[in-house]
């Protein structure tokens, strides 16, 4: 089922502190990971389907770098 990022961000902030690790053993499309990025938490996502894993990678990359800027170590 599709879950809203705003709802998960709210739930993550209720149950953890900045810098904590959030675990999602059934990651699906990565909503928990995206919410963790927005809430300044670390995350561990587990997903067995390779297609969903590709979706997760893409969505989290976009959440970390929404303008798709070039990333450098000195940046």
């Amino acid at each position: 089922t599709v879950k809203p990022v705003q709802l998960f961000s709210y739930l993550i902030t209720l149950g953890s502190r900045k810098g904590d690790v959030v675990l999602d053993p059934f990651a699906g499309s990565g909503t928990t990971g995206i919410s963790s990025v927005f809430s300044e938490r670390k995350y561990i996502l587990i997903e067995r389907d390779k297609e969903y894993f590709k979706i997760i990678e893409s969505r989290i990359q976009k959440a970390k770098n929404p303008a798709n800027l070039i990333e450098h170590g000195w940046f």
Side-chain angles (χ1 to χ4, degrees):
T1 62
V2 177
K3 290 150 185 95
V5 173
Q6 288 179 329
L7 172 61
F8 268 55
S9 295
Y10 173 71
L11 295 174
I12 287 171
T13 57
L14 283 178
S16 64
R17 295 184 179 122
K18 289 183 182 181
D20 281 355
V21 178
V22 177
L23 171 66
D24 185 355
F26 307 101
S29 63
T31 301
T32 302
I34 293 166
S35 299
S36 297
V37 169
F38 292 155
S39 303
E40 299 178 38
R41 273 63 169 177
K42 298 172 185 156
Y43 53 89
I44 297 173
L45 306 177
I46 300 170
E47 179 54 53
R48 68 179 185 168
D49 188 330
K50 289 181 183 180
E51 291 302 315
Y52 277 106
F53 180 76
K54 291 176 187 175
I55 293 168
I56 292 168
E57 281 185 315
S58 174
R59 290 184 73 205
I60 289 180
Q61 182 61 33
K62 185 167 178 111
K64 288 181 176 180
N65 188 2
N68 201 22
L69 299 173
I70 297 172
E71 294 185 45
H72 294 283
W74 46 270
F75 211 50

